[in-house]
Amino acid sequence: MQIQSSTKPPEEVEKRILIEARGVTKAFNGVPALRDGRLLVRAGSVHALCGGNGAGKSTFLNIIMGVLRRDAGHVEVKGQDVDFHTPAEALEHGVVMISQELSPVPAMTVAENLYLGREPRRGGIFIDHDKMSRDAAQLLAHLEFDVPVGARMEELSLAQIQLVEIAKALSRDADIIIMDEPTTAIGEHEAHILFKAIRRLQANGSAIIYVSHKLTEIFEIADDYTIFRDGQFIESGKIADIDRRHLVTLIVGHELETQNETQREKTGRPVLQVRGLSRKGWFDDISLDVAAGEIVGIYGLLGSGRTEFLEAVFGLHKPDRGEVLLEGKKVLPGNPKASIRAGMTMVPEDRKQTGLVLNSSIAHNITLSAVSRLSFRGFIKRRAVSAVVRKMIGMQHIKCSSPDIAVESLSGGNQQKVVIARCLSTHPTLLICDEPTRGIDEGAKQEIYKFLREFVSQGNGVLLVSSEAPEVLQVSDRIAIFKAGKLHGVVGASGATQQQIMDLAA
């Protein structure tokens, strides 16, 4: 892969239209998913495609890539009218997509995943594994992605898998690169490394269609924007001509109430006390408290030990030493069931892999962690289950036609609300959240922030990890900074700045 400076004059690059779509529609079983998709993307630009969950963005992009066939409308790529039947056709025309749905082959190495289906061969027959490894190492080094080429994908973290998927797409030297939520699984440090790669591609005349719910990223990286809402084109323009409030209002469809930060009552009573917790190779000698009425945020770069710390506190991994106390009582280490019984629960980092049973109903997912409480001598108390499900759907404002439909049919924001509802069904006093707003739109984020404030206002505590500095500043009372497996310091959120906590974590 070669990312070089452009040899074309900037004005020539700017004028070329690489992709233009007009009046694109798509319906599923008679239900419109896309009513009027429009997009115009110029060479050498980063174009943000914005919209909430269910706005039609993914349907539109899958049509562009040939994953879905459009019902009507026109798509032109480099001035040529196209109707791709398969992603392979799109690739032939220089269009590539980094999907938010990761698709690694777990048993294969990083190098094998990067060049799957296009492996270098000796004599046109045998795969040249040495060359493949060298090419993979060169590509990852060029992108500044810290991923071992010889490791199997199943051995990698979610963030490293995301980096491999990004590298795979960028290795194809495409003219049009679609990035659908490329930073959902990576931290801010890795995101800025990706932005450097995007700028090199941009300088070489490539066009990037960028989709992200992280509005800070959009204002940092994008030149132009297009907004979809309810399957329809709403507005497009230069990102420099609008502010965050304008963008959010058009995405949501109305003025969004700003959650005013009020001073919460902290009783001083410690809900959680962590003393000298260590797990070799991941984190060392961490001591941290969460008081009743308090949200403690954890901020750190990829590899800082933040997620591993949360998982050890909850009991998913047994620490080598140290102790966890909830309401002054020791919690049995390495035992999530004991943690739940004690009054602790956890919203995991990846809702689809570890937070939900996607093909099961909303009702089943909500009550999954509270089965013992909702049964008697091995028999489920159906009335109690129904009551809990109704209460949680109402409390979390989960939008669904029935609690019996599969949770995989919901939007990302509603899926995350089901995860939170499942956690609340156990009546916790401590809620542990690992990236609670990952991959959800601004409206759903604000609803979750409001819920967290209400939860701690009842005398409970929240311990929260977020890779987004603005988020951890907005929602936390105190912020614990993790660096290389150590607790680097604790700062008050009200007086802290984004630059300060990023500098402390670097």
Side-chain angles (χ1 to χ4, degrees), residues 362-369 388-389 392-393 398 418 421-422 425:
I362 296 168
H364 175 72
N365 275 276
I366 286 175
T367 56
L368 200 56
S369 297
V388 168
V389 170
M392 290 300 168
I393 287 175
I398 299 168
V418 172
R422 173 180 59 76
S425 70

Side-chain angles (χ1 to χ4, degrees), residues 138 200 486:
Q138 185 179 4
R200 291 196 294 268
K486 295 274 191 180

Side-chain angles (χ1 to χ4, degrees), residues 264-265 292-294 451-461:
R264 290 185 288 273
E265 283 293 322
E294 183 180 40
F451 155 72
L452 292 175
R453 295 186 185 102
E454 290 172 350
F455 180 76
V456 297
S457 71
Q458 297 163 12
N460 302 310

Side-chain angles (χ1 to χ4, degrees), residues 152-166:
R152 290 195 302 275
M153 297 297 286
E154 61 193 1
E155 299 169 347
L156 302 182
S157 68
L158 184 63
Q160 288 175 315
I161 293 170
Q162 180 76 73
L163 292 177
V164 173
E165 293 289 301
I166 292 168

Side-chain angles (χ1 to χ4, degrees), residues 14 26 35 53 78 93 116 139 150 217 267 308 330 342 360 456 460 479 502:
E14 176 64 25
K26 181 67 180 178
R35 303 167 191 269
N53 293 113
K78 299 176 222 173
H93 284 75
L116 186 62
L139 170 65
E217 288 184 357
T267 64
E308 292 77 15
K330 285 187 182 180
S360 287
V456 297
N460 302 310
I479 303 169
M502 290 177 71

Side-chain angles (χ1 to χ4, degrees), residues 63-95:
I63 289 170
I64 299 293
M65 270 306 296
V67 177
L68 296 171
R69 301 293 306 284
R70 63 181 182 262
D71 296 334
H74 299 278
V75 177
E76 292 180 11
V77 172
K78 299 176 222 173
Q80 180 183 349
D81 204 14
V82 298
D83 184 11
F84 300 139
H85 290 61
T86 65
E89 284 186 42
L91 287 170
E92 288 172 9
H93 284 75
V95 186

Side-chain angles (χ1 to χ4, degrees), residues 259-318:
Q259 294 296 329
N260 294 321
E261 188 62 40
T262 55
Q263 190 63 39
R264 290 185 288 273
E265 283 293 322
K266 300 175 193 62
T267 64
R269 172 178 62 87
V271 172
L272 175 72
Q273 295 168 286
V274 180
R275 297 288 175 262
L277 208 66
S278 301
R279 188 168 181 243
K280 190 175 181 181
W282 295 104
F283 56 87
D284 183 54
D285 195 26
I286 305 288
S287 296
L288 190 65
D289 291 354
V290 179
E294 183 180 40
I295 299 175
V296 174
I298 295 177
Y299 182 77
L301 303 182
L302 182 66
S304 62
R306 58 194 188 183
T307 290
E308 292 77 15
F309 172 73
L310 287 194
E311 291 176 345
V313 170
F314 184 58
L316 292 175
H317 304 295
K318 192 171 183 179

